[in-house]
Amino acid sequence: MRRTPSLADVAREAGVAPITASRVANGAENVDEATRSRVLDTMGRLGYRPNLAARALATGHFKSIGVLTSSMRSPGNMWTIGEIVTAAAERGYTVTLLPFELRGGETVVNAYDRLTHEGVDGAIVVAERRLDDDTSITLPPGVPVIFIDAGGGDEYTVIDSDQAGGARMATEHLLDLGHRTVHHIAGPRESYAAMRRLAAWRRVLEERGLRVPEAPIGDWRSTSGHEAVDALLADGATAIFAANDQMAFGVLQRLHELGIDVPGQVSVVGFDDVIDADASWPPLTTVRQAFDEVGRVAIADLLERIADHDRPTAGVVVPVQLIVRGSTAAPA
Amino acid sequence: MRRTPSLADVAREAGVAPITASRVANGAENVDEATRSRVLDTMGRLGYRPNLAARALATGHFKSIGVLTSSMRSPGNMWTIGEIVTAAAERGYTVTLLPFELRGGETVVNAYDRLTHEGVDGAIVVAERRLDDDTSITLPPGVPVIFIDAGGGDEYTVIDSDQAGGARMATEHLLDLGHRTVHHIAGPRESYAAMRRLAAWRRVLEERGLRVPEAPIGDWRSTSGHEAVDALLADGATAIFAANDQMAFGVLQRLHELGIDVPGQVSVVGFDDVIDADASWPPLTTVRQAFDEVGRVAIADLLERIADHDRPTAGVVVPVQLIVRGSTAAPA
DNA sequence: GGGTAGCATGGTTGCGCTACCATGCCCGGT
DNA sequence: ACCGGGCATGGTAGCGCAACCATGCTACCC
């Protein structure tokens, strides 16, 4: 008695050829109803479970896509990944998570190496950090790859929210309220997204001929927002645009500590609209990224690329939306 | 010229038998150094990539574990999953994500069904919601399963943070500060964790012979914390223990709206210590769950169970820790 | 110097499934 | 009645890899 029944067992038991059982298992049309139900019944009775490895070996594709990610901690990343998983599942694909960095200190290259073994039909790189160009070269050929939130050069498809547009909206919102300028707390230099937001913020100020204050560089975490506040206030800040919500939370906290009224004395804007952005005090004005849309577009594009490897690469920019809440107002 | 080189190609090219190439690919010890490097060189030159499907078919195991999850949105869940992925990767295992609910409304049963196809060696169920008993019966036999944060009965291994202990610590902390009683905002009834926290909170009050206020039921989201506050205040609350951090954020926000000082007039405690719990205003006193430890223990236990299917089930309770910050103080 | 331990290597086989093509049946058209 | 088309079904083969056991070789021991 073998451990687990195979299609051959089912076929023998049901009195059909293995291929017919296979057709039933795959829901093929051209099977007689009586035969189908007999096979189905036998499968149930035997407790048949298709072996995906065998199927993948025979068909050459795995119905699985790999998601390479550097950080499972960042709320935005997790959100994106969740949406990718859902979108993939809807299309009958499974998602395998491949972490960039292990605690032992494995590198990006190793993650790619891992990818080459995984038996995935394609991959999505969700990297908040910029990848060095020479590591991206090590991507295994023949595996379609899509980048989210990272510069991948022209050779790969990059899908991302409209970072520049969002930063522009945030900055213009504050200026339109009457602030003389806007102070920015940037994300880390390694992040393409952070650099795009920084550049767009600067651009708006320059376009309007306004003073461009020095922008401290944060690490995305709330503490770096917290720590940046004092210097910004010393520089006369009345409007602070943080490159993500977490840093904005840190800013809010420091302003509360100092007894500074928000938005009465200082306005604050974040970026991302993470899950609790509306639960802060005051509720945070921020730029909402359509993470679900990003995930959907990424999956859709990747599946097309899997079907046609020679599809030309093309980036997609997903629109963002300014969500005005209670942390912004006209200057005193 | 075939699409992708196989071990046989490598072997032929390197002048060895396929099995020798296989040994090199698997890092077996008993291969001559010269032979090994020659094969390795050939692999590199040919761009050989091992086919995991073939390997899994031949060995019978996939080096992959499935994570079934109902929600990719909850910060706690995502944190746990992230740690599972990391812990699994350290042990050479890959994680495949299997969502419970698709947008179309697939059910838990379908997720299990999907699991049976996935070709995983074992599975971890990360369910903040309680599973109905009869659905759990549909778990495919022969696939070791571990539950996190969900009641699985005695037939399965359940690993979880010490929900009761954490709730007890939170409640006692507030009482020890001098509050006459503690009001609780519970999580949804379907959640085992929420029910354990609720029961432990009630227990502490009863032990001390204190009044047990009515506990509103929330949905984990900040809005339900926000909405619960007014009734609690009307009931004379001076100390509010929310069943998770998000609801605590909602509580803080409502208290701010009402101009009530925290912790001067009302103390607030959360649960989880999510990523920005220390960035709220005031910084949130909360119960820290060791999500990383939960993930590690789950993987360790699951791998042992994969190696020995007949291992007796045994639950593990992972300790939690009260993190006292600025949202709690003695009553006015 | 003979025996043997220990190591590197190879041949064969089968994991479970599906692709490809062939076959046989029933049906309607003329 | 004959022929051809459409449909259900089957036979055979192979996907890429590792398990099993056998073989040949070296080196070492007494």
Side-chain angles (χ1 to χ4, degrees), chain A residues 50-135:
Chain A
N51 182 317
L52 284 197
R55 179 174 297 173
L57 184 56
T59 61
H61 48 257
F62 304 86
K63 286 293 205 172
S64 175
I65 73 139
V67 170
L68 287 103
T69 180
S70 56
S71 165
M72 305 282 298
R73 305 264 167 101
S74 129
N77 267 11
M78 293 310 294
W79 187 285
T80 304
I81 292 171
E83 295 296 340
I84 288 173
V85 170
T86 305
E90 284 171 350
R91 309 284 223 99
Y93 276 73
T94 260
V95 167
T96 296
L97 251 29
L98 280 3
F100 265 11
E101 294 163 6
L102 303 183
R103 277 190 260 267
E106 276 197 38
T107 68
V108 171
V109 180
N110 285 341
Y112 284 131
D113 181 65
R114 183 182 306 275
L115 168 66
T116 69
H117 294 63
E118 280 316 319
V120 295
D121 299 315
I124 298 178
V125 179
V126 182
E128 58 186 6
R129 303 198 332 207
R130 174 151 54 178
L131 304 176
D132 291 329
D133 288 16
D134 45 8
T135 58

Side-chain angles (χ1 to χ4, degrees), chain B residues 189-209:
Chain B
R189 279 184 224 286
E190 306 81 54
S191 162
Y192 263 99
M195 290 303 106
R196 287 204 211 95
R197 292 172 200 175
L198 176 67
W201 158 80
R202 177 174 290 130
R203 184 93 200 264
V204 172
L205 295 183
E206 287 171 351
E207 280 174 7
R208 301 206 180 184

